[in-house]
Amino acid sequence: MGWRIISIKSRAKLDYKMNYLVVRTESKTSRVLLDEILLLMVESTAVSLTSYLLSELVKKKIKVIFCDEFHDPQSDLVPLYGSHDDSRKIREQITWDPSFKAFLHAEIVRIKISGQISNLPPACERERALLTSYLSEILPGDATNREGHAAKVYFNALFGLDFTRGTDSPINAALNYGYGILLAAFNREIVASGYLTQLGIFHDNMFNHFNLSCDLMEPFRPFIDRFVMSSPPTAPLTHEDKMKLLDLLNQTVSIRGQNHHLSTAIHLWTCSVWDALRERDLSCLESPCYG
């Protein structure tokens, strides 16, 4: 797996030559070895790419994100096939036990809320106590919606009582940009493993192509929240802000008792979810540490 994050933010022609990404602009031509690339972000709509390059990026399982005219993530490149045994994996996915999925979703919510608790400022003792109490109240499938109740308390503690998710604000723009990067990373892992992103564990929206990705990314949202909390933007996101959010994939986190890049932790967590579903055993889960 590569480690370099490449962002193309202005007019350019991208093509492939001898295992290199070739970037041609009006002023220069540069090359990057494909084996070094973790993610390619195409920020400008004035960028053109060859189909040969796209094919090679897919073969190397390099995540590619395309942005709209506002430079916000709009779509990502998802291959049709990511594993030699896709058919077996998809049949397995269709028959995942509903009762175990309900317990798995509850555990995912528990891990996510634990991450939210670790992000609360020291002065938020009441909010910390409330979220901690929610951990023991989570039911299979999160039937009592502890996740939703925790989110309201949590975001108000982080960004103020007037803050609401879903409104048009610099903070929400930063959160959404970061979450979009996480979603793309999980799409890559799921497809590479041979499963369908559409068939989720809990998320079941017929209009959502990434239900499973939305399920698996939940424990990693607090990493984005922590970054935005540490330096909340007060104006529209700059290119520098976006590059810092992209670079979070290279931050160090602990998982399995060892330090890894966040992108590697995503891979290890995703593999542990497959093991848990296959063995019907929650102890297989390898969740990241938030300390």
Side-chain angles (χ1 to χ4, degrees), residues 190-210:
I190 291 167
V191 174
S193 297
Y195 295 100
L196 294 175
T197 60
Q198 293 91 337
L199 302 181
I201 295 167
F202 173 75
H203 286 83
D204 189 30
N205 187 330
M206 65 182 290
F207 302 109
N208 184 1
H209 294 287
F210 309 119

Side-chain angles (χ1 to χ4, degrees), residues 92 100 195 256 268-286:
E92 176 186 297
F100 183 75
Y195 295 100
R256 293 184 178 177
L268 295 175
W269 157 253
T270 303
C271 290
S272 78
V273 172
W274 308 147
D275 291 339
L277 285 161
R278 191 174 299 112
E279 303 296 330
R280 293 172 51 104
D281 184 359
L282 294 178
S283 68
C284 293
L285 294 176
E286 302 277 1

Side-chain angles (χ1 to χ4, degrees), residues 206-238:
M206 65 182 290
F207 302 109
N208 184 1
H209 294 287
F210 309 119
N211 285 308
L212 185 55
S213 309
C214 290
D215 287 320
L216 269 57
M217 69 180 281
E218 295 295 348
F220 287 79
R221 288 179 183 265
F223 291 110
I224 303 298
D225 305 337
R226 180 181 299 176
F227 174 82
V228 176
M229 175 187 66
S230 67
S231 52
T234 57
L237 293 183
T238 64

Side-chain angles (χ1 to χ4, degrees), residues 38-42 49 54 57-58 61-68 72-80 177 179-192 197-198 208-211 213-214 217 246 249:
L38 171 67
L39 184 148
L40 172 64
M41 173 74 80
V42 182
L49 304 86
L54 291 176
L57 291 170
V58 168
K61 298 183 179 179
I62 295 170
K63 175 48 59 183
V64 183
I65 301 177
F66 298 98
C67 296
D68 59 19
D72 293 325
Q74 183 181 52
S75 62
D76 61 283
L77 182 62
V78 179
L80 289 177
Y177 195 91
Y179 295 157
I181 294 166
L182 281 183
L183 182 67
F186 275 96
N187 288 341
R188 174 191 182 280
E189 291 297 333
I190 291 167
V191 174
T197 60
Q198 293 91 337
N208 184 1
H209 294 287
F210 309 119
N211 285 308
S213 309
C214 290
M217 69 180 281
L246 269 173
L249 290 174

